[in-house]
Amino acid sequence: QVQLVESGGGLVQAGGSLRLSCAASGRTSGMGWFRQAPGKEREFVAGITWSSGWSSGRTNYADSVKGRFGISRDNAKNTVYLQMNNLKPEDTAVYYCAARERLRTVSDLTYDYWGQGTQVTVSS
């Protein structure tokens, strides 16, 4: 069983930046971020997949955040970060961290474990 603890949400003005963190307990092979805005379905934001034989993780992003968001992982801390730059009001949502144990391709959006969510609000 993997537990996820998220942090880093908050209120920011349009054009600003925030960094979300997600610390995982237990072994994982991939983690990702999803978000859900009021009245909308949960959507994929970014993901990162890794294996012991790779020099670095492989990343995947939703088109809406490419060039603005960056996902990274600190292996020693078993923590994944989502750096969000040039934030827009439409980025306002609850952001959820997700994790999986089984190695899958980075484009595979199947995750087994979910965090409690952290609110990100971008004011115009």
Side-chain angles (χ1 to χ4, degrees):
Q1 189 79 7
V2 175
Q3 293 184 328
L4 303 173
V5 178
E6 301 150 332
S7 61
L11 173 65
V12 65
Q13 290 187 335
S17 299
L18 281 175
R19 190 178 78 157
L20 305 182
S21 301
C22 179
S25 66
R27 181 177 178 178
T28 58
S29 66
M31 294 176 71
W33 289 94
F34 290 72
R35 66 187 181 187
Q36 187 167 19
K40 295 186 177 181
E41 294 186 352
R42 187 175 299 187
E43 64 176 2
F44 169 76
V45 176
I48 185 167
T49 298
W50 57 85
S51 176
S52 59
W54 301 352
S55 58
S56 63
R58 297 174 184 174
T59 59
N60 186 29
Y61 297 93
D63 288 342
S64 59
V65 306
K66 281 181 181 177
R68 300 189 298 123
F69 290 12
I71 189 169
S72 61
R73 177 175 181 254
D74 184 326
N75 295 345
K77 296 182 179 179
N78 205 16
T79 298
V80 166
Y81 304 96
L82 184 67
Q83 178 66 44
M84 304 185 293
N85 300 324
N86 190 21
L87 282 160
K88 304 175 182 180
E90 51 263 43
D91 294 318
T92 295
V94 177
Y95 283 70
Y96 295 91
C97 176
R100 58 191 176 211
E101 295 173 304
R102 178 183 172 186
L103 180 63
R104 298 176 182 270
T105 62
V106 70
S107 59
D108 190 324
L109 301 186
T110 305
Y111 290 89
D112 307 306
Y113 304 99
W114 294 85
Q116 77 285 358
T118 185
Q119 178 70 46
V120 171
T121 303
V122 184
S123 62
S124 56

